[in-house]
């Protein structure tokens, strides 16, 4: 199909949401959190009617710390990047450098898709290199199988693009691969790449500045943005500019997207030299890059709700549960937990909980962590990221076992 490139008009931004933070570009190289949270607008259909977190009325689901027990579900995954749930406890996983997909079963079996047909077409379109390759994946949760609509984010020779395809699990094949959104700047670094279907049914796409910080503030560039489109790649109804796919701007490199039960959208973001961020995303919000890194209390920019020194985080994927936001940290080699404060009734009433002090889990135990996915029964599934050229793959009995998919069971501490 012919490639389509969006011209992005300047956005009319809402008033800045200012939160208590540290003044100045770059803030302070110390972890921090804002509580209570700022009140921000959410996506049009993510409203106060969203389901409340489980737990008794009056119980704060994020109160206190948790302990984490892990077990290895699967191993020897070559540079895994994206993960999406399938029925029956299975997961669809992308392999960045191989430009391939595999289904991971609960018993640990890893079944690659047939490499012919659509899978070969996908591989032919993908140009791995540096941080680029086959990145994010999302599966339509309305599909029950055996055929599923899947969305993929890939780096090509000229740009990053979002593709839609049909996954046939009976035949383990991919077919009808169609480019729905292209023209996203690409480079060896800062390709973004996480994609997710929001509670409103639209597709959200995280992009990076492609190594050019000016892209993040440039209204004509799709780089350094979070995009919101229909499943056909058109600008979604309710976007700040009706003719543009841009939902928010001023991002350096977003690789994590998620929503809580009250409809708030979260995104993780890589800082440069000082501070990484967890942000609450509002429509049309400007998150400051490259003018601000971390909290800055600068008019016109939205500050993060939590932040960390880059040595302790470099967050990629996130998972949002009833009680916390979890961030998979690459350079930090740990799983960060940011508690969501407030009761189940608060959320049912449409109130947005605040945030507790971040807690680190799995610190140094499994190396770099690339992605985290919430499970159906309160557990988490974490992809390690040690075979991406920047980690130290683990070995057992002389055989490399990384990368791995971990099952993490959480229990209240004490």
């Amino acid at each position: 199909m012919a490639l389509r490139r969006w011209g992005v008009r300047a956005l009319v931004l809402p008033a800045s949401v200012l939160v208590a933070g540290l003044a100045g570009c770059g803030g302070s190289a110390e972890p921090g959190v804002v509580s209570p949270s700022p009140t921000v607008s959410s996506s049009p259909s993510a409203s106060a009617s969203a389901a409340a977190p489980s737990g008794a009325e009056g119980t704060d689901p994020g109160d206190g710390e948790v302990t984490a027990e892990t077990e290895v579900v699967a191993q020897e995954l070559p540079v895994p990047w994206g993960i999406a749930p399938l029925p029956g406890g299975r997961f669809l996983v992308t392999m960045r450098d191989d430009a391939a997909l595999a289904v991971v079963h609960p018993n640990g079996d890893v079944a690659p898709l047939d490499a012919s047909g659509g899978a070969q077409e996908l591989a032919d379109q993908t140009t791995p290199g540096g941080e680029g390759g086959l990145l994010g994946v999302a599966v339509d949760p309305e599909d029950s199988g055996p055929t599923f609509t899947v969305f993929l984010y890939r780096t090509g020779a000229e740009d990053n693009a979002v593709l839609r395809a049909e996954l046939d699990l009976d035949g383990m094949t991919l077919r009808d691969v169609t480019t729905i959104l292209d023209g996203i700047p690409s480079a060896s670094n800062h390709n973004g790449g996480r994609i997710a279907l929001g509670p409103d049914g639209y597709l959200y796409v995280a992009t990076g500045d492609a190594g050019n910080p000016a892209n993040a503030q440039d209204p004509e560039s799709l780089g350094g943005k979070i995009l919101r489109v229909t499943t056909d790649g058109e600008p979604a109804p309710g976007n700040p500019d009706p003719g543009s796919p841009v939902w928010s701007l001023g991002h350096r490199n977003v690789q994590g997207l998620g929503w809580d039960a009250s409809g708030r959208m979260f995104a993780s973001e890589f800082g440069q030299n000082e501070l990484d961020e967890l942000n609450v995303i509002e429509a049309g919000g400007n998150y400051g890059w490259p003018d601000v890194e971390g909290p800055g209390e600068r008019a016109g920019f939205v500050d993060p709700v939590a932040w960390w020194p880059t040595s302790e985080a470099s967050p990629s994927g996130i998972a949002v549960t009833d009680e916390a936001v979890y961030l998979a940290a690459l350079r930090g080699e740990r799983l960060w937990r940011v508690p969501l404060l407030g009761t189940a009734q608060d959320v049912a009433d449409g109130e947005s909980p605040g945030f507790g002090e971040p807690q680190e889990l799995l610190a140094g135990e499994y190396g770099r962590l690339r992605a985290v996915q919430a499970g159906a029964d309160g557990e988490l599934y974490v992809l390690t990221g040690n075979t991406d050229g920047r980690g130290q793959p683990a070995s057992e009995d002389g055989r490399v076992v990384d990368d791995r998919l971990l099952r993490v069971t959480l229990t209240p501490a004490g």
Side-chain angles (χ1 to χ4, degrees), residues 331-376:
R331 185 179 173 192
E333 297 188 354
R334 67 200 78 179
L335 184 67
W336 280 106
R337 172 180 178 260
V338 179
L340 296 175
L341 305 181
T343 68
Q345 189 59 49
D346 291 337
V347 176
D349 291 341
E351 298 180 15
S352 294
F355 305 95
E357 288 296 324
Q359 177 191 0
E360 60 179 30
L361 302 167
L362 311 184
E365 294 183 30
Y366 294 96
R368 293 162 60 84
L369 304 183
R370 170 62 69 181
V372 54
Q373 172 70 46

Side-chain angles (χ1 to χ4, degrees), residues 296-318:
E297 292 188 319
R298 295 273 297 274
F301 297 143
V302 184
D303 276 354
V305 296
W307 53 91
W308 299 264
T310 55
S311 60
E312 297 183 13
S314 297
S316 187
I318 69 173

Side-chain angles (χ1 to χ4, degrees), residues 130-157:
E131 296 174 359
L134 184 58
L135 304 177
V137 59
V139 176
D140 191 334
E142 300 299 318
D143 294 340
S144 58
T147 301
F148 299 86
T149 300
V150 300
F151 301 89
L152 300 154
Y153 187 107
R154 66 99 180 110
T155 306

